[in-house]
Amino acid sequence: QVQLVESGGGLVHTGGSLRLSCAASGHTFSDYAMGWFRQAPGKKHEFVVFISSSGVRTYYGDSAKGRFTISRDNAKNAVYLLMNSLKPEDTAVYYCAAMENDYSGSYYRIEEYDYWGQGTQVTVSS
């Protein structure tokens, strides 16, 4: 069992930056690949980014490429999402999730993830 807690969300103006954190507890964090997803009001969950258990492999969704950066610190049991050049369309609840299968080819699917945090709200004003 893994518990995940996101933090770092908030209100930011267009073009601003935020750094989200996801703190993990309950099991060996380095055993899990991690992902960030987001959900805007009235929309389905959208894949943002994936990072493998070692941090070597990362895959970004189209909306995140060139603006967002994922990283992890296995010694601190945490994963981070640095978001730059934020746009109003980035407004959503952001969730981190943990996956036991580090080599899943479907890292962009919510069904692949085993544990989820409660989410943190990001609001980008125009």
PDB file of all heavy atoms in Angstrom, residues 15-43:
ATOM      1  N   GLY A  15       1.671  32.595 -17.720  1.00  0.00           N
ATOM      2  CA  GLY A  15       3.111  32.747 -17.862  1.00  0.00           C
ATOM      3  C   GLY A  15       3.893  32.433 -16.604  1.00  0.00           C
ATOM      4  O   GLY A  15       5.124  32.344 -16.641  1.00  0.00           O
ATOM      5  N   GLY A  16       3.192  32.242 -15.523  1.00  0.00           N
ATOM      6  CA  GLY A  16       3.859  31.945 -14.255  1.00  0.00           C
ATOM      7  C   GLY A  16       4.267  30.497 -14.129  1.00  0.00           C
ATOM      8  O   GLY A  16       4.078  29.688 -15.056  1.00  0.00           O
ATOM      9  N   SER A  17       4.796  30.178 -12.967  1.00  0.00           N
ATOM     10  CA  SER A  17       5.307  28.830 -12.703  1.00  0.00           C
ATOM     11  C   SER A  17       4.800  28.316 -11.365  1.00  0.00           C
ATOM     12  O   SER A  17       4.517  29.099 -10.459  1.00  0.00           O
ATOM     13  CB  SER A  17       6.838  28.830 -12.684  1.00  0.00           C
ATOM     14  OG  SER A  17       7.370  29.241 -13.920  1.00  0.00           O
ATOM     15  N   LEU A  18       4.707  27.019 -11.290  1.00  0.00           N
ATOM     16  CA  LEU A  18       4.405  26.336 -10.043  1.00  0.00           C
ATOM     17  C   LEU A  18       5.209  25.062  -9.980  1.00  0.00           C
ATOM     18  O   LEU A  18       5.510  24.459 -11.017  1.00  0.00           O
ATOM     19  CB  LEU A  18       2.916  25.991  -9.947  1.00  0.00           C
ATOM     20  CG  LEU A  18       1.928  27.080  -9.551  1.00  0.00           C
ATOM     21  CD1 LEU A  18       0.499  26.538  -9.644  1.00  0.00           C
ATOM     22  CD2 LEU A  18       2.203  27.613  -8.165  1.00  0.00           C
ATOM     23  N   ARG A  19       5.516  24.639  -8.782  1.00  0.00           N
ATOM     24  CA  ARG A  19       6.177  23.359  -8.572  1.00  0.00           C
ATOM     25  C   ARG A  19       5.297  22.505  -7.669  1.00  0.00           C
ATOM     26  O   ARG A  19       5.109  22.833  -6.495  1.00  0.00           O
ATOM     27  CB  ARG A  19       7.543  23.541  -7.945  1.00  0.00           C
ATOM     28  CG  ARG A  19       8.349  22.242  -7.833  1.00  0.00           C
ATOM     29  CD  ARG A  19       9.587  22.483  -7.012  1.00  0.00           C
ATOM     30  NE  ARG A  19      10.532  21.366  -7.044  1.00  0.00           N
ATOM     31  CZ  ARG A  19      11.171  20.918  -5.979  1.00  0.00           C
ATOM     32  NH1 ARG A  19      10.962  21.486  -4.805  1.00  0.00           N
ATOM     33  NH2 ARG A  19      12.029  19.914  -6.081  1.00  0.00           N
ATOM     34  N   LEU A  20       4.796  21.436  -8.222  1.00  0.00           N
ATOM     35  CA  LEU A  20       3.988  20.504  -7.450  1.00  0.00           C
ATOM     36  C   LEU A  20       4.878  19.433  -6.847  1.00  0.00           C
ATOM     37  O   LEU A  20       5.864  19.018  -7.449  1.00  0.00           O
ATOM     38  CB  LEU A  20       2.925  19.852  -8.320  1.00  0.00           C
ATOM     39  CG  LEU A  20       1.995  20.793  -9.093  1.00  0.00           C
ATOM     40  CD1 LEU A  20       0.944  19.968  -9.838  1.00  0.00           C
ATOM     41  CD2 LEU A  20       1.360  21.809  -8.193  1.00  0.00           C
ATOM     42  N   SER A  21       4.493  19.000  -5.674  1.00  0.00           N
ATOM     43  CA  SER A  21       5.203  17.908  -5.007  1.00  0.00           C
ATOM     44  C   SER A  21       4.218  16.791  -4.699  1.00  0.00           C
ATOM     45  O   SER A  21       3.029  17.033  -4.485  1.00  0.00           O
ATOM     46  CB  SER A  21       5.835  18.391  -3.701  1.00  0.00           C
ATOM     47  OG  SER A  21       6.781  19.401  -3.930  1.00  0.00           O
ATOM     48  N   CYS A  22       4.749  15.602  -4.662  1.00  0.00           N
ATOM     49  CA  CYS A  22       3.949  14.437  -4.289  1.00  0.00           C
ATOM     50  C   CYS A  22       4.801  13.620  -3.310  1.00  0.00           C
ATOM     51  O   CYS A  22       5.852  13.100  -3.697  1.00  0.00           O
ATOM     52  CB  CYS A  22       3.589  13.621  -5.512  1.00  0.00           C
ATOM     53  SG  CYS A  22       2.738  12.057  -5.157  1.00  0.00           S
ATOM     54  N   ALA A  23       4.338  13.545  -2.088  1.00  0.00           N
ATOM     55  CA  ALA A  23       5.050  12.809  -1.056  1.00  0.00           C
ATOM     56  C   ALA A  23       4.439  11.426  -0.904  1.00  0.00           C
ATOM     57  O   ALA A  23       3.217  11.281  -0.808  1.00  0.00           O
ATOM     58  CB  ALA A  23       4.974  13.563   0.268  1.00  0.00           C
ATOM     59  N   ALA A  24       5.292  10.424  -0.871  1.00  0.00           N
ATOM     60  CA  ALA A  24       4.834   9.039  -0.785  1.00  0.00           C
ATOM     61  C   ALA A  24       5.221   8.419   0.548  1.00  0.00           C
ATOM     62  O   ALA A  24       6.271   8.737   1.118  1.00  0.00           O
ATOM     63  CB  ALA A  24       5.418   8.215  -1.916  1.00  0.00           C
ATOM     64  N   SER A  25       4.391   7.516   1.016  1.00  0.00           N
ATOM     65  CA  SER A  25       4.690   6.785   2.236  1.00  0.00           C
ATOM     66  C   SER A  25       4.034   5.422   2.167  1.00  0.00           C
ATOM     67  O   SER A  25       3.142   5.191   1.354  1.00  0.00           O
ATOM     68  CB  SER A  25       4.177   7.542   3.467  1.00  0.00           C
ATOM     69  OG  SER A  25       2.779   7.690   3.420  1.00  0.00           O
ATOM     70  N   GLY A  26       4.496   4.517   2.993  1.00  0.00           N
ATOM     71  CA  GLY A  26       3.849   3.229   3.144  1.00  0.00           C
ATOM     72  C   GLY A  26       4.524   2.064   2.477  1.00  0.00           C
ATOM     73  O   GLY A  26       4.250   0.920   2.803  1.00  0.00           O
ATOM     74  N   HIS A  27       5.389   2.312   1.511  1.00  0.00           N
ATOM     75  CA  HIS A  27       6.077   1.213   0.839  1.00  0.00           C
ATOM     76  C   HIS A  27       7.356   1.769   0.225  1.00  0.00           C
ATOM     77  O   HIS A  27       7.605   2.966   0.283  1.00  0.00           O
ATOM     78  CB  HIS A  27       5.179   0.600  -0.246  1.00  0.00           C
ATOM     79  CG  HIS A  27       5.500  -0.826  -0.558  1.00  0.00           C
ATOM     80  ND1 HIS A  27       6.459  -1.185  -1.486  1.00  0.00           N
ATOM     81  CD2 HIS A  27       5.008  -1.984  -0.071  1.00  0.00           C
ATOM     82  CE1 HIS A  27       6.530  -2.491  -1.558  1.00  0.00           C
ATOM     83  NE2 HIS A  27       5.657  -3.005  -0.707  1.00  0.00           N
ATOM     84  N   THR A  28       8.135   0.901  -0.343  1.00  0.00           N
ATOM     85  CA  THR A  28       9.398   1.338  -0.946  1.00  0.00           C
ATOM     86  C   THR A  28       9.113   2.172  -2.183  1.00  0.00           C
ATOM     87  O   THR A  28       8.725   1.648  -3.229  1.00  0.00           O
ATOM     88  CB  THR A  28      10.272   0.135  -1.302  1.00  0.00           C
ATOM     89  OG1 THR A  28      10.451  -0.677  -0.138  1.00  0.00           O
ATOM     90  CG2 THR A  28      11.615   0.598  -1.829  1.00  0.00           C
ATOM     91  N   PHE A  29       9.323   3.467  -2.065  1.00  0.00           N
ATOM     92  CA  PHE A  29       8.973   4.383  -3.139  1.00  0.00           C
ATOM     93  C   PHE A  29       9.704   4.053  -4.430  1.00  0.00           C
ATOM     94  O   PHE A  29       9.135   4.164  -5.518  1.00  0.00           O
ATOM     95  CB  PHE A  29       9.296   5.801  -2.685  1.00  0.00           C
ATOM     96  CG  PHE A  29       8.980   6.864  -3.699  1.00  0.00           C
ATOM     97  CD1 PHE A  29       7.681   7.116  -4.088  1.00  0.00           C
ATOM     98  CD2 PHE A  29      10.009   7.620  -4.257  1.00  0.00           C
ATOM     99  CE1 PHE A  29       7.388   8.099  -5.022  1.00  0.00           C
ATOM    100  CE2 PHE A  29       9.732   8.602  -5.180  1.00  0.00           C
ATOM    101  CZ  PHE A  29       8.421   8.843  -5.566  1.00  0.00           C
ATOM    102  N   SER A  30      10.940   3.655  -4.331  1.00  0.00           N
ATOM    103  CA  SER A  30      11.748   3.398  -5.520  1.00  0.00           C
ATOM    104  C   SER A  30      11.280   2.169  -6.296  1.00  0.00           C
ATOM    105  O   SER A  30      11.792   1.898  -7.377  1.00  0.00           O
ATOM    106  CB  SER A  30      13.214   3.243  -5.149  1.00  0.00           C
ATOM    107  OG  SER A  30      13.375   2.182  -4.223  1.00  0.00           O
ATOM    108  N   ASP A  31      10.314   1.444  -5.789  1.00  0.00           N
ATOM    109  CA  ASP A  31       9.741   0.307  -6.513  1.00  0.00           C
ATOM    110  C   ASP A  31       8.687   0.741  -7.530  1.00  0.00           C
ATOM    111  O   ASP A  31       8.266  -0.063  -8.360  1.00  0.00           O
ATOM    112  CB  ASP A  31       9.077  -0.684  -5.552  1.00  0.00           C
ATOM    113  CG  ASP A  31      10.077  -1.494  -4.752  1.00  0.00           C
ATOM    114  OD1 ASP A  31      11.274  -1.474  -5.118  1.00  0.00           O
ATOM    115  OD2 ASP A  31       9.664  -2.118  -3.766  1.00  0.00           O
ATOM    116  N   TYR A  32       8.257   1.993  -7.459  1.00  0.00           N
ATOM    117  CA  TYR A  32       7.117   2.441  -8.238  1.00  0.00           C
ATOM    118  C   TYR A  32       7.492   3.473  -9.291  1.00  0.00           C
ATOM    119  O   TYR A  32       8.228   4.423  -9.011  1.00  0.00           O
ATOM    120  CB  TYR A  32       6.060   3.048  -7.325  1.00  0.00           C
ATOM    121  CG  TYR A  32       5.434   2.051  -6.384  1.00  0.00           C
ATOM    122  CD1 TYR A  32       6.017   1.768  -5.167  1.00  0.00           C
ATOM    123  CD2 TYR A  32       4.269   1.382  -6.735  1.00  0.00           C
ATOM    124  CE1 TYR A  32       5.459   0.835  -4.311  1.00  0.00           C
ATOM    125  CE2 TYR A  32       3.698   0.457  -5.885  1.00  0.00           C
ATOM    126  CZ  TYR A  32       4.296   0.193  -4.675  1.00  0.00           C
ATOM    127  OH  TYR A  32       3.740  -0.737  -3.837  1.00  0.00           O
ATOM    128  N   ALA A  33       6.937   3.275 -10.467  1.00  0.00           N
ATOM    129  CA  ALA A  33       6.922   4.354 -11.438  1.00  0.00           C
ATOM    130  C   ALA A  33       5.822   5.337 -11.027  1.00  0.00           C
ATOM    131  O   ALA A  33       4.875   4.963 -10.326  1.00  0.00           O
ATOM    132  CB  ALA A  33       6.635   3.808 -12.830  1.00  0.00           C
ATOM    133  N   MET A  34       5.964   6.570 -11.456  1.00  0.00           N
ATOM    134  CA  MET A  34       5.035   7.602 -11.040  1.00  0.00           C
ATOM    135  C   MET A  34       4.505   8.364 -12.242  1.00  0.00           C
ATOM    136  O   MET A  34       5.192   8.505 -13.267  1.00  0.00           O
ATOM    137  CB  MET A  34       5.724   8.583 -10.096  1.00  0.00           C
ATOM    138  CG  MET A  34       6.260   7.964  -8.823  1.00  0.00           C
ATOM    139  SD  MET A  34       4.947   7.318  -7.759  1.00  0.00           S
ATOM    140  CE  MET A  34       4.089   8.841  -7.333  1.00  0.00           C
ATOM    141  N   GLY A  35       3.314   8.861 -12.095  1.00  0.00           N
ATOM    142  CA  GLY A  35       2.739   9.684 -13.148  1.00  0.00           C
ATOM    143  C   GLY A  35       1.994  10.864 -12.560  1.00  0.00           C
ATOM    144  O   GLY A  35       1.593  10.843 -11.382  1.00  0.00           O
ATOM    145  N   TRP A  36       1.848  11.889 -13.375  1.00  0.00           N
ATOM    146  CA  TRP A  36       0.975  13.013 -13.046  1.00  0.00           C
ATOM    147  C   TRP A  36      -0.144  13.050 -14.086  1.00  0.00           C
ATOM    148  O   TRP A  36       0.102  12.915 -15.293  1.00  0.00           O
ATOM    149  CB  TRP A  36       1.739  14.329 -13.093  1.00  0.00           C
ATOM    150  CG  TRP A  36       2.639  14.578 -11.924  1.00  0.00           C
ATOM    151  CD1 TRP A  36       3.976  14.318 -11.850  1.00  0.00           C
ATOM    152  CD2 TRP A  36       2.285  15.171 -10.669  1.00  0.00           C
ATOM    153  NE1 TRP A  36       4.465  14.688 -10.635  1.00  0.00           N
ATOM    154  CE2 TRP A  36       3.452  15.224  -9.883  1.00  0.00           C
ATOM    155  CE3 TRP A  36       1.094  15.665 -10.131  1.00  0.00           C
ATOM    156  CZ2 TRP A  36       3.468  15.748  -8.583  1.00  0.00           C
ATOM    157  CZ3 TRP A  36       1.107  16.185  -8.848  1.00  0.00           C
ATOM    158  CH2 TRP A  36       2.274  16.217  -8.084  1.00  0.00           C
ATOM    159  N   PHE A  37      -1.337  13.235 -13.589  1.00  0.00           N
ATOM    160  CA  PHE A  37      -2.509  13.426 -14.430  1.00  0.00           C
ATOM    161  C   PHE A  37      -3.200  14.705 -13.978  1.00  0.00           C
ATOM    162  O   PHE A  37      -2.941  15.212 -12.884  1.00  0.00           O
ATOM    163  CB  PHE A  37      -3.480  12.252 -14.289  1.00  0.00           C
ATOM    164  CG  PHE A  37      -2.999  10.983 -14.918  1.00  0.00           C
ATOM    165  CD1 PHE A  37      -2.037  10.205 -14.303  1.00  0.00           C
ATOM    166  CD2 PHE A  37      -3.503  10.561 -16.141  1.00  0.00           C
ATOM    167  CE1 PHE A  37      -1.571   9.024 -14.887  1.00  0.00           C
ATOM    168  CE2 PHE A  37      -3.056   9.386 -16.731  1.00  0.00           C
ATOM    169  CZ  PHE A  37      -2.097   8.627 -16.110  1.00  0.00           C
ATOM    170  N   ARG A  38      -4.104  15.182 -14.800  1.00  0.00           N
ATOM    171  CA  ARG A  38      -4.888  16.329 -14.394  1.00  0.00           C
ATOM    172  C   ARG A  38      -6.316  16.161 -14.884  1.00  0.00           C
ATOM    173  O   ARG A  38      -6.579  15.445 -15.855  1.00  0.00           O
ATOM    174  CB  ARG A  38      -4.283  17.623 -14.920  1.00  0.00           C
ATOM    175  CG  ARG A  38      -4.323  17.786 -16.420  1.00  0.00           C
ATOM    176  CD  ARG A  38      -3.558  19.035 -16.834  1.00  0.00           C
ATOM    177  NE  ARG A  38      -3.671  19.316 -18.258  1.00  0.00           N
ATOM    178  CZ  ARG A  38      -3.020  20.298 -18.880  1.00  0.00           C
ATOM    179  NH1 ARG A  38      -2.202  21.089 -18.186  1.00  0.00           N
ATOM    180  NH2 ARG A  38      -3.201  20.495 -20.170  1.00  0.00           N
ATOM    181  N   GLN A  39      -7.212  16.836 -14.199  1.00  0.00           N
ATOM    182  CA  GLN A  39      -8.619  16.799 -14.583  1.00  0.00           C
ATOM    183  C   GLN A  39      -9.211  18.183 -14.451  1.00  0.00           C
ATOM    184  O   GLN A  39      -9.276  18.737 -13.352  1.00  0.00           O
ATOM    185  CB  GLN A  39      -9.400  15.800 -13.734  1.00  0.00           C
ATOM    186  CG  GLN A  39     -10.829  15.602 -14.216  1.00  0.00           C
ATOM    187  CD  GLN A  39     -11.558  14.519 -13.451  1.00  0.00           C
ATOM    188  OE1 GLN A  39     -11.267  14.236 -12.295  1.00  0.00           O
ATOM    189  NE2 GLN A  39     -12.528  13.875 -14.117  1.00  0.00           N
ATOM    190  N   ALA A  40      -9.640  18.719 -15.571  1.00  0.00           N
ATOM    191  CA  ALA A  40     -10.315  20.003 -15.599  1.00  0.00           C
ATOM    192  C   ALA A  40     -11.816  19.766 -15.391  1.00  0.00           C
ATOM    193  O   ALA A  40     -12.319  18.667 -15.651  1.00  0.00           O
ATOM    194  CB  ALA A  40     -10.057  20.702 -16.924  1.00  0.00           C
ATOM    195  N   PRO A  41     -12.537  20.793 -14.950  1.00  0.00           N
ATOM    196  CA  PRO A  41     -13.978  20.627 -14.716  1.00  0.00           C
ATOM    197  C   PRO A  41     -14.705  20.128 -15.959  1.00  0.00           C
ATOM    198  O   PRO A  41     -14.531  20.675 -17.058  1.00  0.00           O
ATOM    199  CB  PRO A  41     -14.427  22.046 -14.345  1.00  0.00           C
ATOM    200  CG  PRO A  41     -13.217  22.678 -13.760  1.00  0.00           C
ATOM    201  CD  PRO A  41     -12.062  22.130 -14.550  1.00  0.00           C
ATOM    202  N   GLY A  42     -15.481  19.082 -15.798  1.00  0.00           N
ATOM    203  CA  GLY A  42     -16.263  18.538 -16.894  1.00  0.00           C
ATOM    204  C   GLY A  42     -15.490  17.707 -17.898  1.00  0.00           C
ATOM    205  O   GLY A  42     -16.048  17.298 -18.921  1.00  0.00           O
ATOM    206  N   LYS A  43     -14.220  17.466 -17.614  1.00  0.00           N
ATOM    207  CA  LYS A  43     -13.400  16.706 -18.550  1.00  0.00           C
ATOM    208  C   LYS A  43     -12.843  15.447 -17.901  1.00  0.00           C
ATOM    209  O   LYS A  43     -12.813  15.321 -16.688  1.00  0.00           O
ATOM    210  CB  LYS A  43     -12.253  17.576 -19.076  1.00  0.00           C
ATOM    211  CG  LYS A  43     -12.720  18.774 -19.886  1.00  0.00           C
ATOM    212  CD  LYS A  43     -11.549  19.497 -20.526  1.00  0.00           C
ATOM    213  CE  LYS A  43     -12.019  20.640 -21.402  1.00  0.00           C
ATOM    214  NZ  LYS A  43     -10.874  21.353 -22.053  1.00  0.00           N
TER     215      LYS A  43
END
